[in-house]
Amino acid sequence: AQHFNHSFFWDSLSTEHSQGENAPGDKLLTLIARDFGSLEKFRELFTAAATTHFGSGWIWLTQDSAGKLEILSQPNADTPLIVDKKPLLTLDVWEHAYYIDHRNARPAYIAAFWQFVNWSHAENQLS
């Protein structure tokens, strides 16, 4: 599970730093607007889930079998696959992910994450 989670996390990141607007493609953006209201609201909810997740784990954008998107907060080595959800995007919230670069400041790490999201990877995962 941890190999899958980490591999998916690396694929969720772009090698290019976004100085400006980093947004999903039209297909994913339409689904985000449908299920969360807006991209801004999705980012707010995803950030809140990542910030308030207790301990180690993963925050996921997932799609259920009906096509609905949802944010899933999972502890330790859990993956969306064990609850029949398709992963689209993930953020590693284990302390090792942000301890050195962000001096153990999870909120700073989460803010930096949005500049590196690989939206094309997320969109390619859609059913």
Side-chain angles (χ1 to χ4, degrees), residues 8-79:
F8 203 92
F9 174 60
W10 297 127
D11 289 339
S12 294
L13 299 175
S14 172
T15 58
E16 305 212 4
H17 179 265
S18 171
Q19 294 291 342
E21 188 62 31
N22 183 17
D26 291 340
K27 184 177 179 182
L28 182 55
L29 190 57
T30 298
L31 295 176
I32 287 172
R34 180 194 71 192
D35 295 335
F36 299 105
S38 68
L39 178 59
E40 294 75 24
K41 185 63 175 176
F42 162 71
R43 283 182 54 161
E44 176 185 315
L45 293 169
F46 193 95
T47 296
T51 303
T52 60
H53 180 89
F54 180 76
S56 298
W58 302 87
I59 309 304
W60 299 88
L61 172 62
T62 64
Q63 186 177 42
D64 69 16
S65 59
K68 185 176 186 316
L69 303 184
E70 83 176 74
I71 296 166
L72 187 61
S73 177
Q74 291 189 299
N76 304 318
D78 288 358
T79 76

Side-chain angles (χ1 to χ4, degrees), residues 47 50-52 98 102 104-114:
T47 296
T51 303
T52 60
Y98 54 89
H102 296 283
N104 210 27
R106 190 185 286 184
Y109 163 71
I110 297 164
F113 165 75
W114 293 113

Side-chain angles (χ1 to χ4, degrees), residues 78-121:
D78 288 358
T79 76
L81 304 174
I82 64 173
V83 291
D84 200 28
K85 307 282 183 187
K86 184 174 186 129
L88 305 179
L89 178 74
T90 194
L91 177 62
D92 182 347
V93 292
W94 285 69
E95 186 181 72
H96 66 248
Y98 54 89
Y99 181 78
I100 294 173
D101 289 345
H102 296 283
R103 303 293 182 246
N104 210 27
R106 190 185 286 184
Y109 163 71
I110 297 164
F113 165 75
W114 293 113
Q115 297 173 9
F116 292 94
V117 172
N118 185 350
W119 290 111
S120 61
H121 171 73

